[in-house]
């Protein structure tokens, strides 16, 4: 069953508290989970049979915004 937004937020907060000692890989399409991520990875396929890995590191993005 799909989780409602409040449960997704609680799950994401719980994982975020544990990231000081553990790394997690979470496979999701839920906005609430992705909002708490430090890095997002995705796979695109612009041409049939050719996949490309993309990533966004939000800790690096924050540094460039505040600089």
């Amino acid at each position: 069953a799909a989780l409602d937004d409040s449960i997704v937020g609680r799950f994401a907060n719980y994982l975020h508290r544990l990231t000081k000692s553990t790394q997690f890989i979470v496979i999701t399409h839920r906005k609430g989970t992705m909002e708490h991520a430090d890095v997002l990875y995705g796979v695109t396929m612009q041409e049939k049979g050719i996949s490309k890995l993309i990533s966004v590191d939000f800790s690096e993005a924050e540094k460039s915004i505040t600089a």
Side-chain angles (χ1 to χ4, degrees), residues 3-10 30-32:
L3 300 175
D4 64 16
D5 289 338
S6 66
I7 299 295
V8 170
R10 288 175 54 198
R30 297 296 300 257
K31 179 182 175 185

Side-chain angles (χ1 to χ4, degrees), residues 4 9 13 18 23 26-28 39 47 51 53 55-56 60 65:
D4 64 16
N13 286 330
L18 296 174
Q23 290 182 333
V26 178
I27 299 171
T28 184
V39 180
E47 297 179 45
S51 299
L53 178 66
S55 66
V56 178
E60 292 298 320
I65 290 173

Side-chain angles (χ1 to χ4, degrees), residues 15-43:
L15 287 181
H16 194 69
R17 285 195 312 247
L18 296 174
T19 58
K20 305 222 183 308
S21 60
T22 307
Q23 290 182 333
F24 294 93
I25 296 174
V26 178
I27 299 171
T28 184
H29 286 101
R30 297 296 300 257
K31 179 182 175 185
T33 309
M34 291 187 283
E35 285 175 342
H36 292 348
D38 296 324
V39 180
L40 288 179
Y41 295 94
V43 178

